[in-house]
Amino acid sequence: MPSATTGFWTPVALSRDLPAGTVIPARTAAGSIALWRSASGRISASADRCPHRGMRLSHGFVRGETLSCIYHGWSYGQAGNCLRIPAHPGLTPPETIRVATHDVEETDSVIWVAVGTPASKPPKLDGFTPLRSLTAFAGIAAIEAAAGAKANPDGLVEIEASTGTVCLLLSAWEDGQTLIHVLLKADTDPAAGIDASRAAESLRRQAEGLQREIAQ
Ligand code: FES
């Protein structure tokens, strides 16, 4: 996967999996985040821990342009600042109450979150159509071994399905698992999606088998 001393972008989710007004958990090599899209469509990536009592913000809810914690309802804006404390409706929350945020970009129907401070924008994935995401209990090295190919600098590995080439976009987690986004080439017949999905699942099984052998 791409890396640099200043930081890198990691593909945490597909756009289709984050409709407006929702929050989902996501992960990067730096830890857990609450990924949310406001009612107007703006995406934010917040640390997945409420500054009040530590509840996971990915268990919360989105109202309008804010993310609220499920526990006591503290609400946060896109920049991470606390906007409202329901138990103290007349109080303007101090600036010091804020949740850490990460830079986020949405491009080519993929949502990328920055780990550190990347020197450039996320890679372009022109010519691909995202299909689905799946999690592998295997590291990138095991996935590359199963695929018989190395990931390119953008984190893409190509595998062959019976209906054509399928691209896998890889994102490593801190616990050794890998999130795999399955991408179809734009000129692929959409009906090939089932075949591509099966090919990705087969590769995952192989990679997980290799990972178990490595661990023994
Ligand atoms: S723990 Fe989040 S509002 Fe209390």
Side-chain angles (χ1 to χ4, degrees), residues 6-170:
T6 53
F8 56 91
W9 292 97
T10 190
V12 294
L14 303 182
S15 299
R16 63 195 293 174
D17 295 328
L18 188 69
T22 60
V23 56
I24 60 173
R27 294 168 67 176
T28 71
S32 300
I33 58 173
L35 188 69
W36 56 285
R37 192 191 297 271
S38 73
S40 70
R42 297 199 305 175
I43 297 183
S44 304
S46 307
D48 199 5
R49 187 176 189 283
C50 180
H52 182 215
R53 298 256 178 101
M55 173 61 77
R56 295 188 69 168
L57 287 172
S58 60
H59 292 171
F61 54 93
V62 177
R63 288 284 184 277
E65 301 304 299
T66 65
L67 173 65
S68 295
C69 178
I70 195 71
Y71 201 176
H72 307 99
W74 290 24
S75 298
Y76 302 92
Q78 191 175 33
N81 51 313
C82 184
L83 296 171
R84 182 171 175 269
I85 298 176
H88 303 282
L91 174 76
T92 299
E95 268 295 313
T96 50
I97 302 178
R98 55 175 49 244
V99 60
T101 59
H102 302 270
D103 288 343
V104 59
E105 294 271 350
E106 184 172 32
T107 179
D108 301 316
S109 301
V110 175
I111 300 169
W112 301 79
V113 169
V115 177
T117 307
S120 58
K121 292 286 188 184
K124 295 291 291 175
L125 298 174
D126 291 335
F128 292 103
T129 303
L131 179 67
R132 59 172 290 202
S133 304
L134 60 164
T135 305
F137 288 88
I140 285 182
I143 292 172
E144 290 176 330
K150 288 279 186 190
N152 74 12
D154 291 338
L156 283 167
V157 173
E158 290 193 349
I159 61 171
E160 290 302 320
S162 59
T163 50
T165 302
V166 178
C167 286
L168 307 179
L169 179 62
L170 307 179

